[in-house]
Amino acid sequence: MHTARNIRRTPLYSRLEELGACFGEINGLERAFWYGDPGTRPEYDHSYGRTSWFDNVAAEHRATREGVTLFDLSAFAKFEVAGPDALAVCQRVATANVDGPVDKAVYTLFLNENGTIEIDGTITRLAEDRFLVVTPSFTQRQTEMMLRKEAKGRAAAVFDATSAYATIAVTGPRSRELMERVAPHEDWSNEAQPYTHGRRIEIADGYAYCLRVSFVGELGYEVYPSADLAVNVFDALLEAGEELGVRLAGYHALDTLRSEKGYRHHGHDIGPDVDPYSAGLGFTLAKDKPGGFIGLEAVLKLDPKAPRLRTVYVKLDDPEPLFVHDETLYCNGEQVGRLSSGAYGHSLGAAVGLALVDPGVDFDGAFEVRCKGVRYPATVSRRPFHDPTGERLKV
């Protein structure tokens, strides 16, 4: 978009602009998509081939896999649900069981009555009667609608905290080292804060909620300072990470990283046309929890062993072509599915993505992907290509 820009900005916008961010717009909000080289003015030159910023994204990607990077993820939709009936509200909209210990985050889906996916995200229990719901930016109003609809008539309040908090992701194998430097009075051991757990920490000149989760497939933390402290916390992270070689990274790198890891992207890999079993997300379904959840009756009619579609992971054998999305996947010369999303896997050295395919596909067959009219040999896997067991997240 070229009009109606620079209206909604994250608390870190001005600082990121100074540091060379090239912004894009989603949900009317300016987001740092990639960073230019020092002394240059970053601008887009869109192409179906390699762009001038291809190498910049590659550097951000590799820094995340090998060192430590900072992402401004403040665009995430964030809601607090509080009150005596807060648990009942969250349990009803979420497919997962969120009735867990305080400070535990749970990945979950929100379904419609047809049993297909409307939203995905995390729900963290902040207290016995208070929850933090984090979902994709463009589902902000939909998330609010679903939560408020379930809260109506109950003793629960729903607060849109999207603009109240920034979200700074500290990611990469050296992210723990950075957190130790910027908040040395906290215990950053794996035992003190395991994967998918959160806590309130003292950082910079204030406090923030810190959640140990990652959308890139590496050790990482999401720091949620209030908007008025965001710049201070960001600057402290940047300064403390200088000796570690900390680098800024944008949403394009986030996409290349999550594509290697096989994480689903809402609006491409999952949506109202995909059920949880076809998406490979059946593990989020707590079908026996008290009160059930929206869409449970439809889900119970599905056979988890015979999904309508199957989600698989695809990598081109040739390092040159690029994925755009929606490329056709062939097996033994026959069309068997399509790429739901894809990016360049800079760690893998080839285009990589996710595909929705016929569940009866011959995994021992010869696969090809049609890119810009040309069929290229491809490798198809039932497991993600990067860290399939998730060990790098839990170290």
Side-chain angles (χ1 to χ4, degrees):
M1 296 293 183
H2 293 281
T3 59
R5 295 294 299 273
N6 298 318
I7 296 173
R8 296 188 65 210
R9 310 180 193 187
T10 75
L12 299 176
Y13 175 88
S14 295
R15 181 69 85 243
L16 301 186
E17 185 179 36
E18 294 171 358
L19 294 169
C22 188
F23 293 93
E25 170 273 329
I26 294 180
N27 194 28
L29 188 64
E30 300 296 322
R31 308 205 290 190
F33 277 14
W34 58 280
Y35 290 84
D37 297 324
T40 65
R41 180 181 177 83
E43 294 181 348
Y44 272 106
D45 60 329
H46 293 292
S47 169
Y48 286 106
R50 280 167 169 72
T51 59
S52 63
W53 40 273
F54 181 87
D55 291 338
N56 296 68
V57 174
E60 296 170 20
H61 176 113
R62 295 191 183 99
T64 306
R65 288 277 184 255
E66 300 166 8
V68 58
T69 51
L70 302 180
F71 290 85
D72 177 18
L73 303 184
S74 303
F76 281 172
K78 300 175 282 284
F79 290 86
E80 287 194 16
V81 184
D85 291 338
L87 174 61
V89 171
C90 292
Q91 287 283 63
R92 183 61 185 164
V93 299
T95 58
N97 187 351
V98 299
D99 188 10
V102 172
D103 290 326
K104 178 68 170 67
V106 177
Y107 176 71
T108 187
L109 304 176
F110 294 8
L111 306 183
N112 53 40
E113 295 290 354
N114 296 323
T116 55
I117 302 169
E118 291 290 340
I119 303 169
D120 76 323
T122 60
I123 297 181
T124 304
R125 191 171 204 162
L126 302 178
E128 288 299 313
D129 59 353
R130 184 167 161 244
F131 295 82
L132 173 66
V133 181
V134 180
T135 61
S137 175
F138 72 94
T139 66
Q140 181 179 355
R141 296 280 73 87
Q142 187 179 12
T143 302
E144 180 179 29
M145 179 272 294
M146 293 187 74
L147 290 171
R148 291 195 184 281
K149 183 177 180 181
E150 289 304 319
K152 188 174 183 180
R154 298 179 187 263
V158 177
F159 169 62
D160 185 347
T162 303
S163 299
Y165 298 102
T167 306
I168 305 171
V170 184
T171 58
R174 304 195 73 178
S175 57
R176 180 179 283 121
E177 293 180 64
L178 177 48
M179 297 306 294
E180 287 173 341
R181 294 183 180 216
V182 78
H185 35 271
E186 307 285 355
D187 182 355
W188 291 100
S189 67
N190 194 46
E191 293 72 26
Q193 187 175 9
Y195 179 56
T196 70
H197 285 70
R199 57 178 173 163
R200 190 167 181 257
I201 63 168
E202 185 177 353
I203 183 171
D205 298 307
Y207 292 86
Y209 195 74
C210 178
L211 193 57
R212 188 177 160 191
V213 293
S214 168
F215 194 55
V216 301
E218 301 291 339
L219 172 68
Y221 305 86
E222 287 177 1
V223 183
Y224 292 83
S226 56
D228 56 344
L229 291 175
V231 172
N232 218 27
V233 171
F234 176 79
D235 286 348
L237 285 163
L238 206 57
E239 181 180 354
E242 188 173 351
E243 291 183 2
L244 301 176
V246 67
R247 189 179 183 113
L248 302 181
Y251 276 82
H252 288 327
L254 191 74
D255 195 43
T256 65
L257 291 156
R258 72 92 192 167
S259 294
E260 288 188 339
K261 178 59 179 169
Y263 285 145
R264 279 61 168 167
H265 184 265
H266 195 284
H268 292 103
D269 310 303
I270 55 177
D273 58 339
V274 182
D275 66 82
Y277 296 124
S278 295
L281 300 176
F283 67 89
T284 66
L285 304 175
K287 293 182 286 187
D288 58 349
K289 70 175 177 178
F293 53 82
I294 299 170
L296 175 59
E297 290 185 7
V299 165
L300 292 176
K301 297 176 183 179
L302 301 175
D303 183 355
K305 297 182 179 180
R308 183 175 62 88
L309 297 168
R310 186 181 297 277
T311 296
V312 297
Y313 311 96
V314 182
K315 180 175 74 70
L316 290 184
D317 297 341
D318 188 326
E320 289 304 313
L322 304 176
F323 287 152
V324 179
H325 291 349
D326 290 326
E327 289 86 355
T328 302
L329 179 67
Y330 298 84
C331 180
N332 300 327
E334 299 293 327
Q335 294 184 27
V336 294
R338 66 172 180 85
L339 270 290
S340 51
S341 70
Y344 198 84
H346 295 285
S347 300
L348 301 172
V352 62
L354 290 82
L356 291 163
V357 302
D358 185 322
V361 66
D362 175 16
F363 280 95
D364 294 323
F367 288 93
E368 296 173 305
V369 178
R370 184 181 179 186
C371 300
K372 292 184 289 184
V374 180
R375 295 189 191 185
Y376 294 93
T379 299
V380 172
S381 172
R382 296 180 178 89
R383 306 176 76 196
F385 293 102
H386 175 75
D387 190 29
T389 60
E391 291 303 312
R392 295 174 69 91
L393 295 161
K394 304 169 187 175
V395 294

